[in-house]
Amino acid sequence: DIQMTQSPSSLSASVGDRVTITCRASQSISSYLNWYQQKPGKAPKLLIYAASSLQSGVPSRFSGSGSGTDFTLTISSLQPEDFATYYCQQSYSTPGGFTFGPGTKVDIK
Amino acid sequence: QVQLVQSGAEVKKPGASVKVSCKASGYTFTSYGISWVRQAPGQGLEWMGWISAYNGNTNYAQKLQGRVTMTTDTSTSTAYMELRSLRSDDTAVYYCARLRLGGYDSSDYWGQGTLVTVSS
């Protein structure tokens, strides 16, 4: 199975900061990588699919990049509503399943 | 508008089964799949599997093979997830989500979640 890791596991940032979260796959997954945002007590929300495609309705301050094994999610200017946990998910491995990374919690500095 | 509405919270004893429903509206049900994801208290997201609403094909997480069954009823646009032989570590919020299949698969609309508590 493909394993996903994320770094950092948590970070503290201020409104207006540029934030970068990294996701790494245990083997190449091409661009089969999604990013989700989850706030406490709420369902996840799709932000980015296919590594770099912005989901409809998601603010343009969110962007994704990468291919193969290394990926990043960037928030260009952190807003108060962006404090949440972010998960990457690979959608490459059908037999093994669409595994999630462990998550990165972004909180207020 | 696309909506996924899940059934209510459940409390089950160890060894029992639970069946969670997910009623879809606002889109052509058979043009998408449904994925199921769970989240134990204070933990991350765990992918459980998916089902194609078009042809019923399924793909389950290896660790749940033999205990989970996902089905759909296209006449009511409802998906179901049944988990058997429940254990305490199955206590979690269970989410269904609309799955865009056939390319860069991703889950773009989610249900509100169903809390399943397994306790003696």
Side-chain angles (χ1 to χ4, degrees):
Chain A
D1 292 3
I2 297 174
Q3 308 302 319
M4 307 300 292
T5 57
Q6 288 182 235
S7 61
S9 56
S10 64
L11 66 90
S12 296
S14 301
V15 173
D17 284 353
R18 181 181 182 88
V19 169
T20 299
I21 298 169
T22 297
C23 176
R24 177 164 290 174
S26 59
Q27 65 186 72
S28 177
I29 57 170
S30 184
S31 295
Y32 291 87
L33 194 283
N34 305 315
W35 289 99
Y36 297 89
Q37 175 194 66
Q38 188 182 33
K39 297 180 180 179
K42 300 294 187 182
K45 174 186 176 182
L46 178 65
L47 299 176
I48 301 285
Y49 64 96
S52 60
S53 296
L54 192 67
Q55 170 66 8
S56 175
V58 173
S60 59
R61 63 180 179 273
F62 291 93
S63 64
S65 64
S67 67
T69 60
D70 294 322
F71 303 86
T72 59
L73 173 70
T74 300
I75 310 172
S76 60
S77 178
L78 197 67
Q79 298 301 299
E81 61 268 30
D82 301 336
F83 292 97
T85 300
Y86 294 84
Y87 295 91
C88 62
Q89 180 200 33
Q90 62 86 10
S91 62
Y92 178 84
S93 174
T94 296
F98 296 173
T99 44
F100 287 94
T104 295
K105 184 178 181 180
V106 176
D107 61 22
I108 302 171
K109 181 183 285 185
Chain B
Q1 71 284 18
V2 175
Q3 277 195 305
L4 298 170
V5 179
Q6 299 183 223
S7 49
E10 304 261 15
V11 178
K12 296 292 183 180
K13 294 193 182 303
S17 298
V18 69
K19 192 169 187 177
V20 179
S21 67
C22 171
K23 183 169 176 60
S25 61
Y27 70 96
T28 302
F29 185 65
T30 51
S31 295
Y32 295 82
I34 294 287
S35 61
W36 290 89
V37 173
R38 68 180 181 178
Q39 187 169 39
Q43 302 302 307
L45 302 173
E46 179 184 9
W47 180 84
M48 299 180 67
W50 57 254
I51 181 167
S52 166
Y54 172 71
N55 58 17
N57 286 350
T58 56
N59 180 27
Y60 301 143
Q62 194 166 9
K63 69 174 285 189
L64 296 175
Q65 288 274 2
R67 288 207 300 138
V68 68
T69 301
M70 296 174 188
T71 57
T72 59
D73 181 346
T74 56
S75 68
T76 60
S77 298
T78 303
Y80 298 91
M81 185 285 299
E82 182 180 33
L83 189 61
R84 299 175 294 278
S85 302
L86 289 168
R87 309 187 289 246
S88 59
D89 61 356
D90 291 318
T91 294
V93 175
Y94 289 75
Y95 293 102
C96 65
R98 188 178 81 164
L99 180 64
R100 303 186 296 202
L101 280 170
Y104 291 97
D105 304 339
S106 57
S107 296
D108 58 352
Y109 288 90
W110 293 67
Q112 82 275 20
T114 296
L115 175 62
V116 175
T117 303
V118 183
S119 173
S120 55

